[in-house]
Amino acid sequence: MKQLKVLVFSATFGNGHLRAAEAVIEGIRSKEPSAKIIHLDFGDFLGIRFNAIIKNIYSEMIKYIPKLWGKLYYKTAKVQPQSLSQRFLNKLGRRDLLKYIQVFKPDFILCTYPTVSSILAQLRLEQLLQVPVITVITDYTVHSHWVHQGVDGYVVACTEVKESLMSWEINAQRIYVTGIPVSPKFEVEMDRGHIITKLGLKSDLPTFLVMGGSYGVLKSAKRICKKLADSLIPVQAIIVCGKNKKLYLSLEEVMAHGRNPMIRFEFVNNVEELMSVSDLIITKAGGLTVSEALTMHLALVIYKPIPGQEEENAYFVQRKGAGCVASNEKELEQLLNRFLRYPEEIGKMRKKAASAIPDHSTERAVENIFQLVLDLRMEQRIG
C-alpha cells in the first residue's frame, strides 16, 4: 500500500496556528502511523529578514497598539478575494512553494494560516497545483483573508463560521464543522487527584488558572495574581507566565506574602494537566486557548480581548454562556469577586462549556479530511 504523504503549513504569528497544525498531525499519525508528514512554517518561504520584520510588526502592534490592529482587521474583513491587495498576497513565495510541493508530491496539503492557504488555493484555480488543499480556520469568526474558492475543504469551529463562509458563496458540502482541532491529550480523562498532589495544590479549594498568551499580552497580570493571593475567600491560583520573565520573578513577593496558595510556571508543556485541575481560567481569547479550555469544560473569564479575531472569539464564548468578558481591571475584579462568592455560577458556565463545541475535534477533522481526499480521487477517476 502506498505511503501517505502530507504537507502541513502553519505560521508562528502567535501560537494558535502552530498548535492547530500539530493537533491535526497527531490525529493523522493516530490513524496512519506510517504517514510521512512534513510540517513547515510559511514564513520560511518569505525570506528570513522579511519574515522577521512582519513578525516583529505583528507582535508590537498586539502588545502596544491593539486598537490599531483591530481597525486594520475590521477594515480588511470584507475585502474581496480578487482585490488588488489579495492578489499581491497570493504571489508571496508562490514559486518556491510550488517547487517544494512538486518535489515532495504530497497526497494533500493542510493549512492553518490564511495567507499560505490563499496562495495555494489560487494555484489550484490556475491548475498549476494538482494536490487538494484543506484549510483549518483557527478562530470562531471568518476574516475575508481565509476565503478562497480554490480551497478544496474547510475545517471550522462552529456553525456560525460555516454560515459565514457560505455567505461568501463557499459550497456548504466543502465545510466541515468539527471544532478547532486541539491535541487529543485534552480529550483524555486524567487523574485529577494525582495531578493536584503532584502540583502541591489543595483538593478542597477552588482553582483559578491565569494564562497570558504567547506574546505575554495579559496586562495587569501581577495585580490579578495579588487579588487572588489576598482574597478573603479562600482560592488557589496557577499562573503561567510564558516568556514573561519579569512577571515570573515579580510573583515571588506576591506568593511570599499572600494568604492563599499560588504556584507559578514559565513556559509549560502540560497545559492540559493545569486545566484539568482548574475550575476557571483568566486568559486572552486566542482561538486555540479558547478551544482547549472549552474542551476541558473550563469556565472562562476573558480579559481585555484584542480587537479583531480575539474579540470575536470572546463574543462566541459569551454567547454560549461558557464565560464572561472583562473590558477593564474593575470589571475583572467584580467578576472574580462574584465567582468567589457564588461558586455555583462557575458550575453553570462549566456545563455550558461542555456543550459549546463538538467533542473529539481532531478525530472528526481527520476523518472528514480523509473522506474528502478519497472523494476527490474518485471524482478524478470518473472524470
Side-chain angles (χ1 to χ4, degrees):
M1 186 176 175
K2 180 177 173 285
Q3 182 186 32
L4 178 70
K5 295 170 75 175
V6 183
L7 189 55
V8 179
F9 285 103
S10 62
T12 50
F13 291 83
N15 216 14
H17 306 292
L18 181 67
R19 282 175 15 228
E22 289 173 343
V24 179
I25 289 169
E26 279 188 76
I28 293 171
R29 290 203 187 283
S30 176
K31 199 170 179 68
E32 291 283 340
S34 64
K36 184 175 182 180
I37 305 172
I38 294 180
H39 182 189
L40 300 173
D41 181 347
F42 167 63
D44 292 341
F45 289 83
L46 301 179
I48 295 173
R49 183 173 294 179
F50 183 59
N51 188 35
I53 290 170
I54 295 295
K55 281 184 184 177
N56 187 59
I57 291 171
Y58 174 75
S59 62
E60 293 298 300
M61 284 179 72
I62 293 296
K63 278 184 184 178
Y64 302 114
I65 44 175
K67 287 184 179 178
L68 180 59
W69 168 259
K71 285 182 179 178
L72 181 64
Y73 178 91
Y74 288 115
K75 189 171 184 179
T76 59
K78 299 299 180 183
V79 170
Q80 293 298 314
Q82 294 306 315
S83 67
L84 184 63
S85 60
Q86 190 59 56
R87 290 205 304 272
F88 166 75
L89 290 171
N90 287 346
K91 293 185 183 299
L92 291 175
R94 69 180 249 157
R95 184 182 299 172
D96 290 337
L97 281 167
L98 189 56
K99 190 183 297 183
Y100 190 97
I101 294 164
Q102 288 169 340
V103 171
F104 182 56
K105 297 180 180 176
D107 292 285
F108 66 87
I109 302 170
L110 182 87
C111 303
T112 65
Y113 189 68
T115 305
V116 67
S117 170
S118 292
I119 294 166
L120 298 179
Q122 184 59 38
L123 287 169
R124 285 286 278 156
L125 285 185
E126 294 173 19
Q127 298 185 350
L128 296 172
L129 178 63
Q130 308 306 318
V131 181
V133 174
I134 295 106
T135 295
V136 179
I137 296 181
T138 54
D139 289 298
Y140 290 84
T141 186
V142 179
H143 187 280
S144 64
H145 195 28
W146 287 104
V147 181
H148 203 292
Q149 288 294 335
V151 173
D152 294 279
Y154 281 97
V155 171
V156 303
C158 56
T159 53
E160 291 96 326
V161 172
K162 179 175 181 175
E163 288 164 2
S164 184
L165 283 172
M166 288 167 61
S167 74
W168 285 92
E169 298 184 352
I170 300 296
N171 188 334
Q173 293 182 333
R174 291 161 51 194
I175 308 167
Y176 308 103
V177 181
T178 67
I180 297 172
V182 300
S183 172
K185 63 188 178 182
F186 287 90
E187 302 274 7
V188 176
E189 190 172 338
M190 283 173 261
D191 186 338
R192 191 172 186 272
H194 171 72
I195 297 169
I196 285 173
T197 302
K198 184 174 77 171
L199 296 174
L201 295 170
K202 297 184 178 181
S203 59
D204 59 341
L205 286 180
T207 305
F208 287 10
L209 173 61
V210 181
M211 293 181 65
S214 60
Y215 285 105
V217 290
L218 184 57
K219 294 186 172 62
S220 313
K222 183 180 177 181
R223 291 196 294 276
I224 294 169
C225 295
K226 193 168 189 324
K227 291 181 196 304
L228 295 173
D230 296 340
S231 170
L232 295 176
I233 302 171
V235 62
Q236 60 192 349
I238 304 170
I239 320 301
V240 179
C241 302
K243 299 172 185 177
N244 194 336
K245 187 75 173 178
K246 183 179 177 182
L247 172 62
Y248 182 83
L249 295 173
S250 72
L251 292 178
E252 187 80 49
E253 183 183 359
V254 175
M255 294 167 65
H257 297 100
R259 63 192 299 134
N260 294 311
M262 180 174 290
I263 56 175
R264 61 181 173 161
F265 297 96
E266 293 182 88
F267 189 82
V268 297
N269 292 310
N270 65 332
V271 172
E272 75 284 356
E273 289 191 340
L274 304 185
M275 286 186 173
S276 75
V277 298
S278 300
D279 302 290
L280 178 146
I281 182 171
I282 304 160
T283 185
K284 302 301 289 181
L288 265 291
T289 299
V290 166
S291 299
E292 289 162 357
L294 292 175
T295 299
M296 299 295 290
H297 305 168
L298 267 181
L300 293 98
V301 172
I302 296 170
Y303 182 53
K304 284 188 178 179
I306 296 164
Q309 66 268 41
E310 276 204 10
E311 208 167 49
E312 298 299 324
N313 294 340
Y315 293 153
F316 173 82
V317 170
Q318 207 166 32
R319 285 197 307 272
K320 292 294 181 181
C324 299
V325 178
S327 301
N328 53 57
E329 208 166 323
K330 184 179 179 181
E331 286 183 8
L332 178 62
E333 186 172 0
Q334 288 171 344
L335 283 173
L336 295 181
N337 288 338
R338 187 174 107 204
F339 294 137
L340 286 169
R341 286 195 178 94
Y342 307 105
E344 64 273 12
E345 290 197 25
I346 295 176
K348 289 176 184 176
M349 289 195 297
R350 296 195 70 173
K351 284 183 180 178
K352 294 287 188 181
S355 60
I357 58 173
D359 56 0
H360 301 290
S361 57
T362 297
E363 185 180 338
R364 291 170 186 266
V366 171
E367 285 176 357
N368 279 289
I369 289 167
F370 278 31
Q371 187 60 54
L372 170 65
V373 173
L374 185 63
D375 291 345
L376 289 171
R377 281 179 185 163
M378 290 296 290
E379 285 177 19
Q380 285 178 342
R381 285 172 188 167
I382 293 169

